């Protein structure tokens, strides 16, 4: 959430300027206050009225407009902002900022600002690849500007290549990251998420109703807080979070192999996935045809992934989830001990606002001392923050006990 955050959005003159309207909407939806500065050439692509209507604020276009109140816009906007984002950033605006030129309101305001700034380049692929543009981008990085990678795909000039402005949701995620204190830097966090699918013929499988939302929220928030995140995910409908590495698997056995491959390099493992405990014993090569007889489906056990890695967890923090429909705390405590976890996050599927498909959760965190801390209903992003706070605390305690 960007509730109460003040964002100044700079819009430069590229065809992707129209996408900045969508970005303004997305920022407002996240609770941010948005003020927009447009360059003169941005005004050739989209009207200031669009941004004024969407942001609910006047749009700044000119350095030298007399205002009723004496107000130097470039200074007051630099002071107003918690963060700046320039989207789209053209090769021209990137070059001007990199060269220390301030010849319009946007470049002058950026020059007057010491606030975190995200620059989202969007241009033709050849322009982006131009060594001068690349040098300018590297120079901006050197001075602490955060540069978002452009997307790859069809460009306005009908060629395929790098240079697309990323989706509004991806830019919002980068702004969240820009504004989040980095208290998990240096941690390598492995998150598993989503359901697994266990096929018994080429078109059918058994699964569960996990949406992946809790695991994806953990991956996002851990990354925002500076951790290097590897996400191992079963099939979900969610957009992938921008983690260092994402491994997409289907079955519990594939998840097991991926976890074994990555857990040694991790300092923390969070198993939010709803792993199928059983898989069909036989996988038919061809589609099974129906007849009038009952259809027996023999199942065999899948490995208990977290219990297996619990045996050789070393100094790693291991966090599990327990989704229950009855005896929540007793069942969760049993899993905590049996699987050698540092703590377990329990949630009751029967509670309104908790569980698989919802955007909210009601969690209780239980640690090895038996202490249970219950939290009120909150968004999965907020719940992820609470869980990561506990992980940070556990890392601190382990670090102390090693000394
Ligand atoms: N888990 C796992 N591998 C499995 C099953 C579960 O790693 N084959 C992990 C889950 O990711 C979760 C924790 O173990 O972090 C508890 O999962 P849950 O399904 O609640 O418990 P189970 O151990 O499967 O027990 P049961 O289904 O009998 O409640």
């Amino acid at each position: 959430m960007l509730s109460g955050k003040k964002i100044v959005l700079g819009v430069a003159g590229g065809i992707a300027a129209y996408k900045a309207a969508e970005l303004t909407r997305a920022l407002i939806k996240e609770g941010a206050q948005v003020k927009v500065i447009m360059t003169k050439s941005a005004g050739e692509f989209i009207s200031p009225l669009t941004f004024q209507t969407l942001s609910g604020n006047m749009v700044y276009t000119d350095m030298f407009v007399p205002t009723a109140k004496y107000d130097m816009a470039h200074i007051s906007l630099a002071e107003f902002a918690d963060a700046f984002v320039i989207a789209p950033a053209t090769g021209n605006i990137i070059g001007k900022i990199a060269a220390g030129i301030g010849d319009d309101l946007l470049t002058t305001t950026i020059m007057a600002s010491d606030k975190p700034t995200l620059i989202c380049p969007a241009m033709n692929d050849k322009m982006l690849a131009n060594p001068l543009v690349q040098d300018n981008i590297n120079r901006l990085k050197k001075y602490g500007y955060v540069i978002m990678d452009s997307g790859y795909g069809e460009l306005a000039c009908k060629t395929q290549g790098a240079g697309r402005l990323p989706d509004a949701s991806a830019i919002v995620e980068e702004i969240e990251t820009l504004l989040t204190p980095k208290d998990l830097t240096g941690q390598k966090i492995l998150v598993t998420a989503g359901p697994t699918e266990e096929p018994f013929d080429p078109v059918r499988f058994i699964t569960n109703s996990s949406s992946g939302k809790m695991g994806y929220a953990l991956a996002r928030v851990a990354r925002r807080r500076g951790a290097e995140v590897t996400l191992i995910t079963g099939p979900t409908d969610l957009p992938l979070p921008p983690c260092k590495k994402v491994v997409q698997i289907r079955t519990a056995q594939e998840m097991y192999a991926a976890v074994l491959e990555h857990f040694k390099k991790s300092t923390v493992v969070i198993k939010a996935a709803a792993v199928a405990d059983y898989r069909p014993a036989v996988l038919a090569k061809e589609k099974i045809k129906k007849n009038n007889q009952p259809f027996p489906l023999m199942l065999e056990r899948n490995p208990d992934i977290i219990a297996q890695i619990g045996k050789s967890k070393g100094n790693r923090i291991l966090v599990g989830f327990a989704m229950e429909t009855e005896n929540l705390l007793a069942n969760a405590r049993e899993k905590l001990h049996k699987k050698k976890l540092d703590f377990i996050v329990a949630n009751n599927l029967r509670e309104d606002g908790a569980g698989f498909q919802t955007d909210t959760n009601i969690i209780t965190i239980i640690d090895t001392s038996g202490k249970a801390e219950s939290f009120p209903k909150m968004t999965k992003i907020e719940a992820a923050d609470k869980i990561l706070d506990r992980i940070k605390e556990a890392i601190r305690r382990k670090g102390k006990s090693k000394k």
Side-chain angles (χ1 to χ4, degrees):
M1 283 297 280
L2 290 168
S3 250
K5 296 288 184 219
K6 298 179 188 127
I7 308 295
V8 173
L9 167 62
V11 184
I15 181 61
Y18 77 94
K19 293 188 182 171
E22 190 61 44
L23 176 61
T24 308
R25 263 180 82 107
L27 289 168
I28 296 287
K29 218 172 133 202
E30 286 293 311
Q33 285 184 53
V34 182
K35 291 191 178 180
V36 177
I37 305 176
M38 295 174 70
T39 63
K40 193 163 179 293
S41 40
E44 301 291 330
F45 291 94
I46 186 164
S47 153
L49 189 60
T50 306
F51 292 108
Q52 183 176 314
T53 310
L54 292 173
S55 70
N57 281 314
M58 68 172 275
V59 171
Y60 298 78
T61 51
D62 206 329
M63 225 16 225
F64 305 108
V65 181
T67 51
K69 200 165 110 244
Y70 178 71
D71 180 15
M72 283 189 287
H74 62 297
I75 306 296
S76 64
L77 284 166
E79 277 168 5
F80 163 83
D82 292 312
F84 276 86
V85 53
I86 304 183
T90 54
N92 183 49
I93 209 88
I94 288 169
K96 285 205 279 188
I97 299 169
I101 293 171
D103 67 350
D104 62 6
L105 184 59
L106 179 56
T107 47
T108 315
T109 308
I110 294 291
M111 191 185 282
S113 157
D114 56 1
K115 304 293 173 58
T117 300
L118 175 70
I119 295 183
C120 306
M123 64 197 84
N124 162 274
D125 56 337
K126 297 238 167 36
M127 290 168 79
L128 184 61
N130 184 314
L132 283 169
V133 175
Q134 286 300 314
D135 271 0
N136 288 334
I137 286 177
N138 288 331
R139 189 170 155 82
L140 290 178
K141 282 184 186 166
K142 188 176 127 199
Y143 286 101
Y145 294 91
V146 179
I147 312 291
M148 192 164 179
D149 287 341
S150 316
Y152 186 93
E154 187 175 314
L155 304 170
C157 45
K158 303 276 179 284
T159 52
Q160 291 277 332
R164 282 172 65 88
L165 187 69
D167 286 348
S169 60
I171 299 176
V172 170
E173 181 64 37
E174 285 311 306
I175 298 170
E176 295 266 15
T177 304
L178 201 65
L179 288 168
T180 305
K182 302 288 172 280
D183 59 351
L184 291 173
T185 301
Q187 297 304 319
K188 293 185 162 63
I189 303 190
L190 176 62
V191 180
T192 71
T196 63
E197 289 177 358
E198 311 294 331
F200 55 94
D201 82 4
V203 292
R204 302 182 181 98
F205 54 86
I206 52 174
T207 189
N208 57 64
S209 33
S210 167
S211 62
K213 285 181 179 171
M214 191 64 242
Y216 279 42
L218 280 157
R220 271 180 201 285
V221 176
R223 176 182 174 270
R224 286 178 195 170
R225 290 172 66 162
E228 190 181 301
V229 177
T230 298
L231 173 69
I232 300 176
T233 175
T236 77
D237 292 332
L238 304 174
L240 292 174
C243 301
K244 172 99 179 157
K245 190 168 178 77
V246 177
V247 184
Q248 290 175 281
I249 54 86
R250 186 178 187 206
T251 66
Q253 284 179 302
E254 287 167 11
M255 180 171 279
Y256 186 35
V259 169
L260 284 185
E261 187 187 333
H262 290 95
F263 112 97
K264 283 265 148 61
K265 292 170 257 166
S266 310
T267 55
V268 178
V269 180
I270 312 175
K271 283 229 71 231
V275 186
D277 289 320
Y278 296 91
R279 64 174 177 270
V282 178
L283 172 57
K285 258 208 187 112
E286 308 300 337
K287 186 182 170 205
I288 298 169
K289 290 293 177 192
K290 66 175 170 295
N291 58 36
N292 288 330
Q293 300 304 309
F295 179 69
L297 185 61
M298 183 65 85
L299 301 176
E300 60 188 22
R301 276 295 304 269
N302 270 326
D304 187 325
I305 303 171
I306 205 167
Q308 286 303 321
I309 61 171
K311 290 180 190 160
S312 53
K313 70 180 214 181
N315 212 35
R316 292 172 192 85
I317 310 283
L318 212 54
V319 180
F321 273 74
M323 162 79 75
E324 307 291 342
T325 55
E326 56 177 358
N327 304 326
L328 178 70
L329 295 189
N331 285 343
R333 281 198 176 100
E334 198 188 322
K335 287 177 190 174
L336 171 78
H337 293 295
K338 226 167 60 191
K339 299 181 190 230
K340 297 198 172 11
L341 308 177
D342 290 85
F343 54 86
I344 193 156
V345 182
N347 46 176
N348 187 342
L349 195 64
R350 295 265 156 79
E351 269 187 291
D352 201 21
F356 277 147
Q357 301 286 334
T358 56
D359 288 323
T360 57
N361 210 349
I362 305 169
I363 58 168
T364 299
I365 300 181
I366 307 168
D367 65 23
T368 46
S369 72
K371 206 181 95 202
E373 188 181 3
S374 297
F375 295 88
K377 181 159 88 176
M378 54 182 70
T379 65
K380 285 187 171 166
I381 289 284
E382 289 163 339
D385 252 324
K386 298 287 178 212
I387 295 164
L388 289 160
D389 286 346
R390 286 297 284 269
I391 288 173
K392 187 177 141 191
E393 178 59 21
I395 294 167
R396 199 184 58 81
R397 263 191 276 114
K398 279 209 178 173
K400 262 194 186 163
S401 67
K402 259 204 318 191
K403 282 176 195 155

